[in-house]
Amino acid sequence: MNINRMFLAGVVIASLAVAGPASADTEALKTLATIAKNLDHHPSEEDQVVLKAIVDSDESSEEEAAIAMALSNMQHTVTAADAERLRDLVDDDLSDPAARKLAGILLRINHNPADDDKVALAALAGE
């Protein structure tokens, strides 16, 4: 019986690893993932306009606004204040899984996302 459970657990873990991260559920999160994926030290002026619109939108969730603000303020890395909010988001099991994933990636960025994070961001963006 234990061998069957171990086999089933292995199959589930393997299928999750192959499937990879799912696409984000909202357009705002997809947009934020795209901006983060293409980030080069800081957001472009065009990206800043989009980020401000997400922050100011009544339709954006608190998570989306926090991520947009962290991206907007980014200069090579997230600010200390933004990092604290992003860590809270990552640690909150009730947060949207895509938002948690994106927040975790932002916390690791130093100038640009790592190659494996770019792959995860592309998946979140639905690319």
Side-chain angles (χ1 to χ4, degrees):
M1 196 66 105
N2 287 338
I3 293 174
N4 289 336
R5 285 185 185 166
M6 289 178 17
F7 175 76
L8 181 59
V11 169
V12 169
I13 291 169
S15 65
L16 289 174
V18 170
S23 175
D25 293 336
T26 69
E27 286 305 312
L29 285 174
K30 289 178 183 179
T31 299
L32 292 167
T34 299
I35 291 172
K37 181 178 75 74
N38 297 320
L39 191 69
D40 188 23
H41 303 283
H42 54 81
S44 69
E45 288 181 25
E46 294 166 345
D47 290 340
Q48 288 289 4
V49 171
V50 173
L51 293 168
K52 181 169 178 12
I54 292 171
V55 169
D56 293 343
S57 174
D58 292 336
E59 294 182 21
S60 295
S61 69
E62 288 183 34
E63 298 159 336
E64 292 165 342
I67 292 168
M69 184 59 70
L71 267 169
S72 179
N73 293 336
M74 185 173 277
Q75 293 291 325
H76 309 290
T77 62
V78 295
T79 67
D82 289 328
E84 183 177 335
R85 174 64 184 118
L86 293 174
R87 276 190 215 95
D88 289 344
L89 202 159
V90 168
D91 293 340
D92 184 355
D93 292 338
L94 299 177
S95 293
D96 179 284
R100 291 175 68 196
K101 177 93 174 155
L102 184 52
I105 291 171
L106 291 184
L107 287 167
R108 293 190 295 273
I109 290 178
N110 187 6
H111 299 282
N112 343 355
D115 289 340
D116 57 336
D117 285 336
K118 285 182 182 180
V119 171
L121 289 166
L124 287 171
E127 296 176 6

